[in-house]
Amino acid sequence: MELLNDQGLRLDGRKPDELRLIKCKLGIFTHTDGSAFVEQGNTKVIAVVYGPHEVRNVHRAKTSADGAFVNCQYSMAAFSMSERKKRNRGDRKSTEATIHLHQTLAAVIRTELMPKSQIDVFIEVLQSDGGNFAASVNAATLALIDAGIPLREYVIACTASLGTGNVPMVDISNLEESLGGPTLTVAVLPRSSQIALVEMSQRFHLDFLEPVLKMAMKGCDYTFKVLDMAVESYLSEIGKPNNWGQA
Amino acid sequence: MVRLSPEEKIYIIHGVEDNIREDGRSQTQYRPIEVETGIIPSAMGSARVKLGNTDVIACVKADTFTPTWNKPDEGKLQLHVDLSATASPWFEGRRGEQTSEEITTILNKAYESIKLESFCIVPQVKCWLVDVDISVLSCDGNMYDAIGFAVKAALATTMVPKIVASEEDEGEKELQITDDPFDTWTPNVSNIPCLVTLSKVGDSVMVDATNKEEQCSSFTCILAVTETGKILSTFKVGPGSVQPVTFSKLILEASSIGRSLHSELLSALKKENGLRKREIHGFLN
Amino acid sequence: MLDSAAIEDFILDQKKYEENIPYESFLPENVKFKTYEAKLSEVYKDGKRADGRTRDESRKMYIKLGALVEARGSCYLEIGDTKVLCGVSGPREIPYLQGYTELGSVDCVVESNPASPSDKAYSDALKRALEPSFCRHEFPNLEISVSVMILDASGSALAAAITAASLALAHARLPIFDILTSVTVGLHGDLLFIDPTDKEEALCMSYEKNSASQNHGLITLSYMSTADQITHYYQNGEMDLQLLLDTMDIGISRCKDIYALCQQRLMDEVKISMKTVTDTQNVEDSMKNLSTS
């Protein structure tokens, strides 16, 4: 199977610089402070935010007078992959993703405004088809916005890879990932064009780093536009009925 | 998880005894139930059930296994519950895993005595092993009932590629997965029970308790009721005790409630099946 | 590419295929596959069960209170071949407790085998069964520790454990509302087996496909006789509604019978310890003797 066929199309018919369809919804749960659902192609992710609240007893050691403590958990449902696999909470992949998520979110959350408190961000991956971590970061951003937690700006993540003939491709699906190409995941602050996280699954030649990184950041820009529109429509949906609190 | 003061508890108990609960329901009324199947297309069968604010997803994956010598024509049904941290920060990490394991054990025991002869492909050679993964995304009381619905709805709409046995010369059967994508096997769900949770609050018995009402209950028990009203399994949860007279009434009530739940669920699934073009909403709407 | 995560997954998959194969599967065909009638007659023949009882007879019970000298209260219980030992200690502070609990806690641990970890399901069931009988409001922030060791599980193990634990609580002079007695009743076809052995329990959990009545199952329940309260109830199997209710009533009346026996045993124990008090002149000595008898 070729990642890019002779017409220059990928396995699912996309062009190399085309992203999958993105659908999202904020505020899917009522019992949480913030929640969001993001669907990128076949990847479905739920993010939930609790906080800011008092640091829970379990994490008491991590209370800090400098700022809030961000507690993340990344978990994949047992039915998320096509091969059913029950993942334990503390297993290697989940722990790694949790640490990366923490790193990414700590870059945007204005923790200094909420000292001695805790913010919980929980991710549940319902269906996994490549770009799980990227979708999780996007969902976490939306959930944080829904929770009203002060952020510097959005943090958007996207994946990119190299196709046949060293053509950079954006938004990698599971099939393309498993065919062995290197996958680069980038988390970006779109307005300030700053990078919060870069992760590579495999090594590839330094010459190709720039084009692939550029492709990923273009993907992030596009995703940012889509998510921003979703946030605007959600806010007007909530605010308009009582005329933004002035009814 | 929700802390109630003694005065709040008294208020709730009086409400239940007067047949007007906090949200206006009567003692035997369920919250609005929403069922949507096929929300996880990569699974063989899936269903999402919203029972008020309790949100549960069940996903079905089927595999084959060689049956044991003493049960040569029975398949297996295994349930696995995962209490997601999205339901409550209390379910984070190891503690959530432990609670999930406890609930899984209780549920598997309840589903133990279901007759699964319809899960047989070729006796003594191959039977279906059906795994149902349940993820509890949000919990506002009555989790078991929601799980019962989700499992039944997911199994009823599961489509597994059929395995056909072809006769070989020596009498040994060769098993093959069919090529036709529309030739599927769906488990027979007439044996699958619905779970009915009954709580005794004050002097009255009620169904479908919310988180707050669960804390005011002096006795809670869960019954697995079949379509015909037979009770497959009963177990008590939580502390509390009850008089035998009350308990007998409870069981009779559960049987009739279970029967009506089954008929409602099946008619809803039939309606969903009859919709020509159905857009799967999932969490977006 | 083989990375550590892939290796982890591989190991988890291998565990899936490790199954304990029971030795019965290696027996010769004529021994392995018995007809239903043959299997039934092994357990119940001509109106008598394998150990000579009729269907509504319980096995003989033996109760010894104070079997564990070191524990505050203890009870050794035998029902037929099932042997259960229970020890109670406390009250002591709840470890790692933050905050305040109005009601004391009963921490139960049930072990079937010293080498294996405690049976969580039985431990939880025992805790829930004991809680309504114990005066928890007298022990805020404190816990009572109940440990049960099932030495031999030959049917009705949980029922024996609950009864033993309740007697141990009474022996420990802890305030309780009433003692619990527990019983298991099995149903197969339309035959009722009171206090089944483990072979009879296995029979009750199975059913004969072609028979007229598909009713089968087990009911375990524990009951406070004076207070008329069911504190533990577990039923599994398929039963007609009316049959289920009737079976439950039979179980409750059997609990009442056992209750009389337990009451008598406790009275005997009190008489023995009172005798120790009245015999000695020195009050301090007699108090010491009272706590170690």
Side-chain angles (χ1 to χ4, degrees):
Chain A
M1 262 194 273
E2 293 266 304
L3 284 166
L4 279 174
N5 65 13
D6 353 317
Q7 262 94 45
L9 293 177
R10 291 150 81 170
L11 291 160
D12 50 9
R14 286 186 285 155
K15 293 208 280 280
D17 60 349
E18 211 179 309
L19 280 97
R20 294 176 289 182
L21 187 61
I22 302 176
K23 292 190 202 159
C24 58
K25 179 144 171 77
L26 289 96
I28 50 172
F29 294 132
T30 50
H31 66 284
T32 58
D33 289 321
S35 55
F37 170 76
V38 165
E39 200 178 309
Q40 283 181 229
N42 285 331
T43 302
K44 295 182 173 69
V45 170
I46 288 183
V48 153
V49 168
Y50 290 101
H53 57 76
E54 210 183 312
V55 179
R56 279 205 318 278
N57 293 327
V58 189
H59 302 283
R60 195 164 268 175
K62 304 205 182 98
T63 319
S64 163
D66 298 327
F69 154 61
V70 180
N71 177 40
C72 303
Q73 185 182 277
Y74 174 91
S75 123
M76 292 183 71
F79 46 79
S80 54
M81 313 239 270
S82 46
E83 265 296 311
R84 181 190 169 267
K85 202 152 271 173
K86 182 168 179 345
R87 297 211 160 274
N88 294 322
R89 286 277 165 88
D91 81 323
R92 228 162 295 208
K93 266 200 186 145
S94 304
T95 318
E96 194 188 344
T98 304
I99 294 173
H100 285 160
L101 190 68
H102 183 272
Q103 184 187 336
T104 313
L105 295 179
V108 285
I109 300 179
R110 297 196 59 194
T111 52
E112 70 276 6
L113 294 176
M114 301 162 284
K116 296 204 178 146
S117 56
Q118 178 181 347
I119 299 173
D120 294 310
V121 181
F122 298 130
I123 305 280
E124 188 81 22
V125 177
L126 297 177
Q127 202 176 336
S128 149
D129 187 22
N132 305 333
F133 182 72
S136 308
V137 169
N138 299 338
T141 303
L142 292 181
L144 286 166
I145 292 173
D146 185 36
I149 290 183
L151 303 175
R152 288 199 180 83
E153 63 164 303
Y154 287 57
V155 59
I156 309 285
C158 196
T159 50
S161 178
L162 275 180
T164 338
N166 295 325
V167 177
M169 305 191 298
V170 79
D171 198 6
I172 312 301
S173 69
N174 195 21
L175 191 56
E176 290 168 339
E177 239 176 73
S178 52
L179 282 176
T183 306
L184 184 84
T185 308
V186 165
V188 150
L189 279 62
R191 288 210 181 98
S192 44
S193 293
Q194 290 182 325
I195 295 180
L197 177 96
V198 176
E199 194 201 345
M200 265 168 39
S201 69
Q202 250 183 300
R203 59 180 184 206
F204 53 93
H205 199 278
L206 191 57
D207 287 349
F208 299 117
L209 179 60
E210 213 194 303
V212 173
L213 196 57
K214 262 218 185 92
M215 181 62 90
M217 289 181 74
K218 262 204 325 213
C220 288
D221 275 334
Y222 178 77
T223 312
F224 167 60
K225 289 197 183 74
V226 174
L227 295 184
D228 197 29
M229 271 199 312
V231 169
E232 268 187 48
S233 67
Y234 175 67
L235 287 177
S236 50
E237 189 187 307
I238 291 193
K240 275 216 183 116
N242 64 351
N243 199 14
W244 305 101
Q246 288 162 24
Chain B
M1 283 176 283
V2 178
R3 291 225 204 121
L4 291 178
S5 67
E7 288 74 26
E8 282 180 293
K9 283 192 185 162
I10 292 172
Y11 172 72
I12 291 177
I13 292 172
H14 283 174
V16 176
E17 286 176 348
D18 288 340
N19 210 15
I20 300 184
R21 290 148 78 170
E22 248 193 324
D23 49 7
R25 286 184 289 151
S26 73
Q27 290 162 2
T28 52
Q29 215 177 333
Y30 270 78
R31 286 169 285 180
I33 307 175
E34 267 178 50
V35 176
E36 190 176 9
T37 61
I39 54 156
I40 309 273
S42 64
M44 292 174 184
S46 58
R48 178 185 177 213
V49 170
K50 274 191 85 168
L51 181 61
N53 278 335
T54 301
D55 204 333
V56 157
I57 292 185
C59 244
V60 176
K61 294 263 167 95
D63 201 352
T64 56
F65 78 110
T66 314
T68 51
W69 65 276
N70 53 348
K71 286 189 180 171
D73 55 354
E74 279 181 50
K76 268 201 233 176
L77 178 67
Q78 287 175 341
L79 303 179
H80 310 266
V81 175
D82 178 38
L83 295 169
S84 170
T86 56
S88 160
W90 208 88
F91 295 143
E92 187 199 342
R94 187 70 200 137
R95 195 163 45 175
E97 259 192 284
Q98 277 177 340
T99 321
S100 306
E101 276 166 20
E102 282 168 28
I103 298 181
T104 302
T105 318
I106 293 175
L107 272 181
N108 274 320
K109 267 196 174 168
Y111 280 73
E112 201 180 29
S113 40
I114 302 177
K115 299 186 178 130
L116 294 172
E117 276 108 29
S118 59
F119 284 28
C120 178
I121 309 171
V122 177
Q124 291 177 345
V125 179
K126 275 274 182 268
C127 288
W128 287 112
L129 165 65
V130 178
D131 276 306
V132 186
D133 289 299
I134 300 145
S135 197
V136 177
L137 300 173
S138 165
C139 185
D140 186 20
N142 209 14
M143 180 176 55
Y144 286 98
D145 289 23
I147 291 177
F149 286 142
V151 168
K152 183 147 183 156
L155 285 171
T157 51
T158 297
M159 289 195 287
V160 184
K162 245 196 208 152
I163 291 187
V164 264
S166 57
E167 285 288 336
E168 285 280 305
D169 303 295
E170 294 94 55
E172 262 187 45
K173 296 195 173 149
E174 198 186 287
L175 298 169
Q176 270 180 328
I177 300 184
T178 174
D179 285 329
D180 185 358
F182 295 105
D183 191 12
T184 56
W185 170 78
T186 302
N188 182 352
V189 294
S190 54
N191 281 339
I192 310 285
C194 267
L195 298 174
V196 180
T197 307
L198 285 164
S199 320
K200 177 163 168 282
V201 171
D203 287 329
S204 328
V205 170
M206 69 171 192
V207 289
D208 193 18
T210 60
N211 255 343
K212 285 188 186 174
E213 290 168 341
E214 273 180 352
Q215 297 208 16
C216 307
S217 156
S218 60
F219 178 78
T220 310
C221 75
I222 301 176
L223 297 99
V225 185
T226 61
E227 281 179 17
T228 49
K230 269 196 183 178
I231 314 257
L232 278 190
S233 177
T234 312
F235 46 99
K236 165 197 169 218
V237 288
S241 58
V242 75
Q243 274 188 313
V245 164
T246 319
F247 194 54
S248 307
K249 268 198 272 191
L250 240 148
I251 294 179
L252 288 168
E253 181 112 19
S255 174
S256 68
I257 290 176
R259 261 201 304 257
S260 54
L261 281 178
H262 272 287
S263 65
E264 290 291 332
L265 181 64
L266 289 172
S267 68
L269 287 174
K270 211 167 152 190
K271 228 163 103 182
E272 189 191 56
N273 200 17
L275 297 169
R276 277 284 186 79
K277 192 171 182 211
R278 178 170 70 98
E279 235 187 84
I280 294 178
H281 291 288
F283 292 89
L284 308 155
N285 57 345
Chain C
M1 197 171 80
L2 206 63
D3 58 46
S4 53
I7 294 174
E8 225 179 50
D9 292 341
F10 177 73
I11 294 173
L12 281 171
D13 277 342
Q14 289 297 89
K15 284 205 177 130
K16 198 167 50 168
Y17 297 109
E18 267 174 34
E19 259 178 44
N20 285 325
I21 306 176
Y23 79 92
E24 282 102 354
S25 61
F26 295 110
L27 294 171
E29 300 278 313
N30 57 343
V31 180
K32 211 163 55 168
F33 293 111
K34 303 182 190 130
T35 59
Y36 171 68
E37 285 71 29
K39 269 191 266 184
L40 184 62
S41 65
E42 267 182 26
V43 169
Y44 179 67
K45 201 172 179 183
D46 301 327
K48 284 220 176 269
R49 290 145 90 170
D51 51 6
R53 290 184 284 156
T54 57
R55 280 186 294 116
D56 54 1
E57 245 181 274
S58 301
R59 287 172 291 182
K60 285 205 165 53
M61 243 169 87
Y62 170 74
I63 303 171
K64 172 148 175 66
L65 295 162
L68 293 171
V69 177
E70 290 295 313
R72 180 187 170 125
S74 57
C75 171
Y76 172 73
L77 187 76
E78 269 186 31
I79 303 182
D81 280 332
T82 301
K83 302 172 181 66
V84 162
L85 178 62
C86 175
V88 167
S89 65
R92 57 158 199 236
E93 254 181 73
I94 298 178
Y96 308 114
L97 174 70
Q98 275 138 349
Y100 176 77
T101 51
E102 249 179 71
L103 298 173
S105 116
V106 183
D107 176 48
C108 298
V109 173
V110 178
E111 276 177 15
S112 305
N113 177 354
S116 67
S118 73
D119 197 331
K120 197 90 185 29
Y122 274 4
S123 306
D124 285 337
L126 180 63
K127 179 182 156 91
R128 298 304 185 197
L130 287 177
E131 276 170 346
S133 72
F134 179 60
C135 295
R136 295 166 71 198
H137 56 279
E138 302 213 8
F139 298 97
N141 287 338
L142 298 170
E143 76 170 5
I144 302 291
S145 204
V146 177
S147 321
V148 174
M149 169 79 77
I150 300 178
L151 299 160
D152 194 344
S154 298
S156 310
L158 180 61
I162 294 176
T163 314
S166 187
L167 285 168
L169 279 179
H171 179 251
R173 281 86 168 147
L174 288 167
I176 52 175
F177 291 114
D178 199 357
I179 54 168
L180 291 172
T181 48
S182 182
V183 91
T184 306
V185 182
L187 195 66
H188 182 80
D190 284 319
L191 303 169
L192 195 81
F193 292 96
I194 294 189
D195 192 16
T197 61
D198 48 351
K199 281 213 172 67
E200 288 165 356
E201 276 185 350
L203 181 73
C204 290
M205 285 310 291
S206 68
Y207 58 94
E208 170 58 11
K209 286 173 208 140
N210 304 318
S211 73
S213 164
Q214 294 282 297
N215 293 318
H216 67 280
L218 288 171
I219 297 183
T220 305
L221 61 87
S222 82
Y223 178 70
M224 283 199 282
S225 299
T226 318
D228 189 32
Q229 297 275 312
I230 295 177
T231 63
H232 170 75
Y233 183 84
Y234 178 73
Q235 174 248 331
N236 205 339
E238 197 182 306
M239 300 180 201
D240 287 328
L241 215 49
Q242 196 49 50
L243 189 60
L244 194 152
L245 295 171
D246 293 339
T247 312
M248 191 175 76
D249 285 334
I250 292 174
I252 289 174
S253 70
R254 191 49 50 114
C255 281
K256 288 189 184 147
D257 297 338
I258 299 179
Y259 180 77
L261 181 69
C262 293
Q263 253 188 331
Q264 197 186 26
R265 197 65 198 80
L266 279 171
M267 277 311 294
D268 291 342
E269 201 263 336
V270 170
K271 281 185 198 150
I272 293 172
S273 35
M274 284 311 291
K275 199 163 177 296
T276 329
V277 176
T278 51
D279 272 352
T280 49
Q281 294 299 312
N282 194 333
V283 177
E284 256 179 83
D285 268 345
S286 66
M287 292 306 282
K288 230 190 288 173
N289 284 339
L290 195 68
S291 60
T292 56
S293 64

